[in-house]
Amino acid sequence: MPFVSRSDDGTIDGVFEQLQEGTAEEFLSDDNPELVARLNAPPKVSSVSARQFRLMLRRAGLLDLVKAWVAQQDGETQDAFEYSGTFVKDSPMMSAGFKAMGFTPQQIDEFFTAAASL
């Protein structure tokens, strides 16, 4: 039975045949190595706990810099940094903070992946 695989943003990753045995990768053509690589890549981390986030900031030597940036923001941002149990990568506060720190999208992904392992 065929089925469509979609990514988080809704784009179609591929059309596969569902069988009782085997994996989807067995049905992929070698003609599309980018799709094969994406399917075999570890999932991107979209959020981490506050503990993981703060430990990663500390290990990266950014904790004091981020605290100074947060201190200059509005009360809601300060409260979110202080009291959030989870830090979501694509939230407005996170986007603004990473932009202020000069992070590229790849560096943000790497930061969250590393934080998730703590």
Side-chain angles (χ1 to χ4, degrees), residues 58-113:
R58 184 175 300 283
R59 289 185 182 189
L62 297 171
L63 186 58
D64 290 336
L65 184 63
V66 169
K67 284 183 176 182
W69 178 83
V70 168
Q72 297 173 355
Q73 305 309 304
D74 63 28
E76 287 186 12
T77 300
Q78 293 174 19
D79 288 346
F81 181 76
E82 186 67 28
Y83 301 110
S84 290
T86 303
F87 285 82
V88 179
K89 179 172 60 175
D90 295 331
S91 73
M93 178 187 76
M94 296 302 291
S95 296
F98 278 117
K99 182 178 180 181
M101 300 299 138
F103 274 60
T104 66
Q106 181 178 350
Q107 289 171 318
I108 296 168
D109 286 342
E110 290 169 358
F111 182 93
F112 269 80
T113 299

